[in-house]
Amino acid sequence: MSHSKTDNTGALPRSILAGAIAGVDNISRTVALTAFIFGGALSAGVPLALVLFLVTNVLATCVYVAGRALPAPLFSSVQNAPVAVLYPATLTLSATGEPTAIFLLLGATAVASGLAMTAIGFFDLGRFVRLVPYPVAAGFLAAVGALLARSAFGLVYPGNLADLAADIAEQSPEALLPMLSIGFAIVLGLSVWLFRNTGVILALIIGLAGTYGVFSLHGIDLAAARDMGLLQPRVSGIVLPSAEDLSTVVAQLDQNMLQDILPIVGAATVISLFGIMLNSAGAELILDRDIDSRHGLVRAGAVNILTGAAGSTISYLSASTTAMSQQLGSLGRAPIWSMCALTVVAIPFASDIYNFVPTFVSAGLLLFIGASIVKVWVLDQFGRLGRADWLLSLTIVVVSILFGMVTAIGVGVVAASVIFAVLYARLPVIRSTSDLRTRRSRVDRGPAQTAFLDAHGDEVAIVSLQGFLFFGTAMYLTAHIRGLLEKSGKIHTVILDFRRVSRVDASAIATIRRIELLAGSYGTRVVLSEMNHETNRDIRRSYLSLGPNHILQTARTTDEALEAVEVEMLSRLEDKERHESATSALDRITGDPAVTKRILMKMSREQVAKGTRLITQGHQSGDIYLIDEGRLSVLLNLPDGGTLRLRTMAEGSLVGEVASYAGLKRTADVVAETDAVVYHASTERIAAITGEDPVLAAALHRMVAATLADKLDRTNKLLGDAE
């Protein structure tokens, strides 16, 4: 008991420390992000941006976790990824010289993302975002990291790496700031590698202490450091945008500028959706627990709408901060309150902190974050993804660098569509193929008709389809039908069972037209059966010719289609075979009319009115019935009071033989579908025949065994076709 108390006592300080580290990490990232967006000529917007971003961190975290049971903390924060995508737009708007333009851009993007998150969460549309193939999503996020690193480098050096190499060779002062930034990014990487959870904080301490130590050693004051570019231009009080500032910005937004900016805003919104979905999935793996992503999307959306209206940037769940806190052993809500408290305390001093942080520290931190994103989503995936998938992710990154994020998203969407089509096309659209020898309607017929359908069953093909019938899968159906017709040469009917088909597209309808032409050349008709409402609607409003006298026909159910074709085929029988009876059925089984006559004499011939129940579901009975005239229905009673027709038994059929032989309770009702005449053998009569006349009993049992064997054989063949 005391041991447990000690553990709990130790957990609280660890949790508070973890929250404080998360707070320092958030503050440092916020300072770097603010310098990234508002550095240079737009520095007047820094104080307000710092306050907005820090308040957003606190609000996003509190709203996300409010009312949730939390065995471990979850943290939300403003995100670098969407801002990296927006960076080209910020450069465009910086020409106005008004920080208000940047706040307007950030806020509009946050509101747009918030609306999208809310809609996706409320209507449960996240599954569509998850349909994007993993290599494409990974490429998007890696591209964001590459853009962030490139833009951060641009903060401290106007040229490219080749220019930097030349300046280094010439020992130009211009090379100092980018070299310090790259050096600090390397220090961050080594520190995180050595000290996974506290590495960023330790590197910041080293960077700040080292910088001011050098300043002191060389007598460099803060003003001189700012002149050298080692510190950002000094900022002071918050300047709130006025209505006049807003009007000035809006007046400068011409059509060309909007055409450049709006696609970038759309791209940032898309990236924010991928970001929150993947961060949620990452947090689930980190915490080893399910996170209600719909709930989280709605909450994150509400926060983004609210903070975006104030001019803040996009925020959502941060898997990296959550992972760091988890690794430090934090529990419950203490880390959250600790992080929020530290952030709130820092808000009044945010501008002072910004003035204190060297330029290369902010740039180096962003370089490190960008490089880390590229490492996680591209470099680390090299051995995990297939070669083609990995090259696709890399291609998206390269396209984003060369042509921008909007083009990269376009390439990704096209790639996702192609991957989806190719992978879906590999799924078998043809579930099974059978014929009348294995698959029949629900009408059980006498031996003569059954034998005829067995002999000519290969004249009818039943093709069961599944999935989404579209251009990628429809071509296989045409090839399959062609193969059936060419191989057989005598198929007069093809039944296409659409029961498991979800939808068809225009290409699939064109394929059905080609099948119609193909079938016509063989003198074959095609019956489309069991189409759902949407498929039936799409096909009927197309240019296809449907009807009883056309090559293409329809049937409400596959069973109706099978029964119709069976009736048509049986019309070819001679009259005495087409109209079976108890006598003709027994003659065919026993091969001896005298034995048939003796069996029927032992059974009672009964007139049965339509609707009469002969067998009751659940009753224990071994009676059997042989139909002489009319039809019987086998009906299953459902829990809701309704009934389901399982079979229809025609003349010459034997009914009730399974329960009679197995000694089981009746599994369904048997009711006269029409006025009928049956031969009835009760359990007692069967027992009497067995005891009194072994020869007759053998013939009777042979009739039952033949019926059971036929049903078993048909079932086995049907299962074999399904495989």
Side-chain angles (χ1 to χ4, degrees):
M1 189 73 176
S2 60
H3 178 69
S4 175
K5 185 175 181 180
T6 302
D7 287 346
N8 290 336
T9 302
L12 182 59
R14 285 199 308 271
S15 297
I16 293 174
L17 177 62
I21 292 174
V24 172
D25 183 69
N26 268 341
I27 293 168
S28 62
R29 291 172 187 261
T30 299
V31 169
L33 188 63
T34 305
F36 177 64
I37 303 171
F38 290 94
L42 299 174
S43 60
V46 167
L48 178 59
L50 287 168
V51 172
L52 284 174
F53 294 172
L54 291 173
V55 169
T56 298
N57 286 341
V58 174
L59 184 62
T61 297
C62 291
V63 170
Y64 194 87
V65 302
R68 291 187 171 194
L70 293 177
L74 294 166
F75 295 93
S76 293
S77 61
V78 294
Q79 296 292 324
N80 296 304
V83 174
V85 177
L86 286 175
Y87 187 68
T90 65
L91 294 179
T92 300
L93 290 176
S94 64
T96 64
E98 292 287 346
T100 303
I102 308 301
F103 286 118
L104 186 62
L105 172 68
L106 296 177
T109 308
V111 170
S113 298
L115 291 172
M117 291 175 188
T118 303
I120 289 174
F122 186 79
F123 295 106
D124 194 21
L125 303 177
R127 60 186 182 277
F128 295 110
V129 178
R130 296 188 188 97
L131 285 177
V132 175
Y134 182 84
V136 175
F140 285 164
L141 295 178
V144 168
L147 291 176
L148 180 62
R150 188 182 70 172
S151 301
F153 182 77
L155 286 177
V156 293
Y157 189 74
N160 53 36
L161 290 176
D163 296 331
L164 177 60
D167 282 343
I168 293 173
E170 297 173 3
Q171 297 184 346
S172 169
E174 298 291 333
L176 176 62
L177 200 54
M179 287 301 298
L180 288 173
S181 300
I182 294 172
F184 184 65
I186 294 172
V187 170
L188 276 165
L190 291 173
S191 182
V192 170
W193 180 57
L194 293 172
F195 309 99
R196 179 177 178 182
N197 299 310
T198 58
V200 172
I201 308 300
L202 293 175
L204 287 172
I205 293 173
I206 292 171
L208 293 173
T211 299
Y212 282 92
V214 171
F215 287 174
S216 176
L217 184 64
H218 291 277
I220 302 174
D221 59 21
L222 297 183
R226 294 189 200 285
D227 292 339
M228 296 171 63
L230 297 175
L231 295 176
Q232 293 283 357
R234 182 175 178 79
V235 298
S236 53
I238 294 175
V239 179
L240 294 175
S242 64
E244 184 179 349
D245 294 334
L246 186 60
S247 299
T248 302
V249 170
V250 172
Q252 295 183 60
L253 294 177
D254 58 28
Q255 184 175 354
N256 292 332
M257 191 176 290
L258 289 175
Q259 287 177 347
D260 291 338
I261 291 173
L262 290 179
I264 297 174
V265 171
T269 301
V270 170
I271 290 300
S272 71
L273 296 177
F274 281 109
I276 189 171
M277 298 296 288
L278 290 172
N279 271 271
S280 295
E284 286 182 330
L285 296 176
I286 292 164
L287 302 181
D288 195 24
R289 62 187 288 262
D290 178 65
I291 295 176
D292 185 353
S293 58
R294 288 186 62 187
H295 195 75
L297 279 165
V298 172
R299 292 193 176 200
V303 170
N304 277 285
I305 293 171
L306 177 63
T307 57
S312 187
T313 188
I314 297 169
S315 63
Y316 47 77
L317 180 66
S318 171
S320 60
T321 307
T322 299
M324 179 183 66
S325 177
Q326 172 78 351
Q327 290 294 323
L328 290 171
S330 60
L331 298 172
R333 299 180 183 274
I336 296 171
W337 305 140
S338 176
M339 184 278 288
C340 291
L342 182 63
T343 304
V344 170
V345 169
I347 289 175
F349 308 100
S351 294
D352 295 327
I353 296 171
Y354 178 87
N355 291 329
F356 180 74
V357 175
T359 304
F360 72 86
V361 169
S362 296
L365 180 57
L366 293 174
L367 280 171
F368 166 73
I369 293 171
S372 297
I373 294 173
V374 173
K375 175 181 178 296
V376 169
W377 293 107
V378 171
L379 301 182
D380 290 351
Q381 303 300 321
F382 181 75
R384 301 172 186 171
L385 297 177
R387 186 61 54 86
D389 289 342
W390 187 82
L391 288 174
L392 174 58
S393 296
L394 183 62
T395 299
I396 292 173
V397 175
V398 172
V399 170
S400 72
I401 294 173
L402 296 178
F403 305 104
M405 196 64 201
V406 175
T407 304
I409 288 179
V411 170
V413 169
V414 171
S417 301
V418 172
I419 291 171
F420 175 80
V422 170
L423 292 180
Y424 207 104
R426 291 178 181 174
L427 297 177
V429 68
I430 299 169
R431 179 180 175 86
S432 65
T433 301
S434 55
D435 57 33
L436 282 186
R437 292 173 296 185
T438 56
R439 185 174 178 183
R440 296 273 174 81
S441 71
R442 293 178 182 176
V443 178
D444 276 6
R445 306 180 186 278
Q449 295 183 6
T450 299
F452 179 84
L453 293 176
D454 283 341
H456 298 275
D458 58 350
E459 298 175 11
V460 178
I462 304 104
V463 181
S464 296
L465 308 177
Q466 63 183 359
F468 178 36
L469 200 58
F470 73 116
F471 67 90
T473 56
M475 60 181 180
Y476 295 111
L477 178 58
T478 306
H480 185 71
I481 300 299
R482 185 186 301 278
L484 289 176
L485 296 178
E486 290 178 350
K487 182 178 180 180
S488 172
K490 57 182 179 180
I491 294 177
H492 58 71
T493 303
V494 174
I495 299 174
L496 298 180
D497 182 354
F498 279 76
R499 182 161 61 94
R500 291 183 174 85
V501 173
S502 56
R503 287 296 297 269
V504 298
D505 70 353
S507 298
I509 293 175
T511 295
I512 294 173
R513 170 59 177 161
R514 286 194 290 273
I515 291 174
E516 177 188 12
L517 297 174
L518 175 64
S521 67
Y522 283 86
T524 302
R525 66 181 170 188
V526 178
V527 182
L528 313 179
S529 69
E530 214 142 335
M531 296 180 288
N532 61 33
H533 173 73
E534 291 80 9
T535 301
N536 187 54
R537 179 198 62 201
D538 292 343
I539 286 180
R540 288 193 178 278
R541 70 184 182 187
S542 68
Y543 50 82
L544 299 175
S545 298
L546 303 168
N549 299 319
H550 292 81
I551 294 173
L552 286 181
Q553 302 177 14
T554 61
R556 188 176 62 87
T557 67
T558 303
D559 185 63
E560 289 180 0
L562 289 169
E563 185 174 353
V565 76
E566 288 171 3
V567 169
E568 180 183 291
M569 291 176 66
L570 291 172
S571 66
R572 290 150 46 186
L573 283 170
E574 294 182 7
D575 188 65
K576 65 177 182 179
E577 292 182 324
R578 189 164 64 249
H579 299 95
E580 289 201 78
S581 64
T583 301
S584 65
L586 276 175
D587 280 347
R588 193 173 185 90
I589 293 172
T590 64
D592 188 341
V595 173
T596 296
K597 185 176 181 180
R598 290 174 58 197
I599 291 175
L600 293 178
M601 288 179 64
K602 293 288 185 179
M603 302 174 75
S604 61
R605 191 172 189 271
E606 301 174 0
Q607 300 278 346
V608 180
K610 178 181 178 180
T612 302
R613 181 185 289 110
L614 282 75
I615 294 174
T616 301
Q617 181 176 331
H619 284 195
Q620 188 81 45
S621 168
D623 295 7
I624 60 173
Y625 298 86
L626 182 60
I627 304 174
D628 191 44
E629 298 176 13
R631 289 190 172 198
L632 306 181
S633 290
V634 181
L635 304 174
L636 178 66
N637 295 313
L638 302 175
D640 61 2
T643 58
L644 174 66
R645 183 176 76 94
L646 300 178
R647 310 290 299 173
T648 293
M649 318 300 289
E651 294 92 341
S653 297
L654 188 64
V655 184
E657 75 283 354
V658 175
S660 178
Y661 255 45
L664 301 173
K665 290 183 178 181
R666 299 296 186 174
T667 57
D669 287 350
V670 176
V671 178
E673 185 176 308
T674 65
D675 291 340
V677 176
V678 299
Y679 283 89
H680 174 207
S682 65
T683 305
E684 295 77 13
R685 182 62 60 89
I686 295 172
I689 294 173
T690 302
E692 297 170 0
D693 193 335
V695 175
L696 201 60
L700 181 63
H701 291 309
R702 188 162 60 250
M703 175 182 68
V704 174
T707 302
L708 290 173
D710 179 71
K711 292 179 179 178
L712 179 61
D713 179 61
R714 201 174 310 284
T715 300
N716 287 336
K717 288 178 179 177
L718 188 60
L719 291 174
D721 284 346
E723 293 175 357

